[in-house]
Amino acid sequence: MKTHPDTAANPAEFPTATTTAGSEVLVKAGIKERNVTVQCAFPAGLITAIVGPNGAGKSTILGMISGLLAPDSGEVRSGETVFADASRSLPPHQRPVAMLTQKPLLFPHLSVLENVAFGPRARHRSREEARRIARQELAAVGAAELADRPATALSGGQSQRVAIARALATHPQVVLLDEPFSALDVETAAKLREVLSKRLRQEPRPTVIFVTHDPLDVWMLADHVVAIENGHLIGEGTVVEMLGQPATKFLENLSGMNLLSGVIEESGEVATIDAGGVKLTGLWQGKNHPGPQTPALTAFAPQSVALFQTAVSGSPRNTWQARVTEITPRGAVQWISLELDGGQSIQAVLTPQAVSALQLAPGSPIFAEVKATQITVYPR
């Protein structure tokens, strides 16, 4: 295995791409020592999540794209620019790629502003221009007021905001994210998902590739999903295709939460969304209360779904007509797959006794209910 290549064999054959909008990234490469051989494409200007079990090869793919690892077979390219092949590799600093990990890795001897300005300065921008870009990026992630602070005086969430700003200050074609929220508490991670989703969708959009084990990251950030197991590609598609109908045990576990996307109808501490004709009411988790038609995501556990043969009144409740599509035993419980009237799919968890009492079978009509306090609504 080759790591940290310093020079390309012939720089003329590896031209540095311009830092404009993102281009498609193709990885048709492998590293024998890591038992990774993949062939996958990451669409230009979209956000792609790489998912898979620990040791599947996700971080190896990021390493080959960033230049921290060199393939010993195949090639890695972004648009027309070949990043690496089996014999040569463009060094990391010559690739229009920014990488963000769970550790911010800010320069401790620099201020926040100078940390963010470092990338533009390294690309020969004037000090004044680099600082202007840095202030813009800090403002974009809600950290403008931190500009003059020492990097050592920040909280974990503040440090990660600054790290996001620093990664994007060079206007990279490709942005790599390796579990950037895993070291943060739930509330801080939720805020940063919102910040990052908004920033990464600004034009010109880079091509974004991120590794995560959190289904909320996938549903709230991703446009596309690539699934890796045992060093090989096992599937790719939209978020709904990959998590709505999981083809492997890992994807099934990853999609363990019921997640429905839609648009806001009413907002406040309690928000109502329209998910393709299905109305859901739950507790709003965003910083601000958005207006109608704002994209949103709802999340609720299968264990919170109650099933009844007739609709039960109560407030505040969500009640939907549904049809049983599948019943799957998992240990001491049974998972009930349901199709709602709008065509969306959710799951419920019942005991075998409850399944028998309700006389459930594939095709059975049923009413599904969830309390509003058990549904969380997130900005998307």
Side-chain angles (χ1 to χ4, degrees), residues 4-341:
H4 300 276
D6 293 321
T7 59
N10 184 349
E13 296 185 37
F14 289 98
T16 301
T18 57
T19 54
T20 55
S23 54
E24 182 182 50
V25 174
L26 294 174
V27 179
K28 299 180 180 179
I31 297 178
K32 186 175 181 180
E33 184 179 326
R34 295 200 171 200
N35 297 315
V36 173
T37 303
V38 294
Q39 180 172 324
C40 50
F42 302 94
L46 298 186
I47 302 176
T48 299
I50 306 178
V51 300
N54 288 331
K58 304 183 299 297
S59 293
T60 299
I61 293 173
L62 294 192
M64 289 192 288
I65 297 170
S66 68
L68 298 179
L69 297 173
D72 46 36
S73 65
E75 72 171 22
V76 179
R77 67 166 57 236
S78 175
E80 297 302 315
T81 303
V82 177
F83 281 175
D85 60 25
S87 61
R88 300 158 297 180
S89 186
L90 193 67
H93 69 274
Q94 291 185 21
R95 303 184 185 199
V97 176
M99 187 164 181
L100 181 67
T101 68
Q102 55 188 275
K103 295 182 179 180
L105 301 177
L106 301 179
F107 300 121
H109 60 289
L110 297 179
S111 69
V112 165
L113 184 67
E114 294 305 327
N115 260 279
V116 180
F118 180 85
R121 286 287 288 159
R123 283 157 177 77
H124 312 297
R125 298 293 187 98
S126 69
R127 182 181 299 275
E128 181 180 352
E129 176 69 1
R131 287 182 172 180
R132 184 188 67 77
I133 293 170
R135 292 189 187 279
Q136 283 183 338
E137 291 298 337
L138 286 169
V141 299
E145 74 282 0
L146 304 177
D148 296 327
R149 292 192 191 181
T152 53
L154 304 178
S155 67
Q158 289 172 335
S159 295
Q160 200 67 325
R161 282 179 188 256
V162 175
I164 293 170
R166 185 177 67 174
L168 297 174
T170 58
H171 301 152
Q173 279 192 347
V174 181
V175 176
L176 307 178
L177 308 171
D178 194 355
E179 300 197 62
F181 309 127
S182 61
L184 303 175
D185 61 73
V186 173
E187 183 178 356
T188 302
K191 291 178 180 177
L192 280 179
R193 280 192 201 100
E194 184 178 355
V195 166
L196 194 56
S197 177
K198 181 178 179 180
R199 174 61 185 84
L200 291 176
R201 287 181 165 84
Q202 292 178 1
E203 298 294 342
R205 288 180 57 163
T207 299
V208 182
I209 305 165
F210 74 98
V211 168
T212 184
H213 288 93
D214 192 327
L216 279 178
D217 287 349
V218 178
W219 281 92
M220 294 184 66
L221 289 173
D223 305 303
H224 189 75
V225 177
V226 165
I228 305 292
E229 288 194 14
N230 299 317
H232 299 285
L233 174 72
I234 60 168
E236 61 181 311
T238 67
V239 178
V240 172
E241 289 170 344
M242 297 297 288
L243 298 191
Q245 298 178 324
T248 70
K249 188 68 176 178
F250 177 82
L251 288 172
E252 186 176 89
N253 292 334
L254 184 67
S255 61
M257 291 288 285
N258 286 313
L259 298 157
L260 297 177
S261 59
V263 294
I264 294 288
E265 279 199 344
E266 299 178 16
S267 63
E269 296 303 321
V270 176
T272 299
I273 81 163
D274 182 344
V278 174
K279 303 296 179 65
L280 299 94
T281 298
L283 303 181
W284 177 251
Q285 292 297 307
K287 183 178 180 180
N288 301 310
H289 298 150
Q293 299 304 304
T294 301
L297 175 76
T298 63
F300 54 99
Q303 292 82 354
S304 69
V305 180
L307 301 182
F308 301 93
Q309 290 182 330
T310 58
V312 178
S313 61
S315 180
R317 284 182 181 271
N318 296 276
T319 303
W320 313 297
Q321 288 185 302
R323 181 179 64 86
V324 176
T325 58
E326 188 176 4
I327 300 176
T328 307
R330 292 194 198 175
V333 298
Q334 297 195 9
W335 284 62
I336 317 300
S337 297
L338 303 165
E339 183 180 89
L340 304 182
D341 271 356

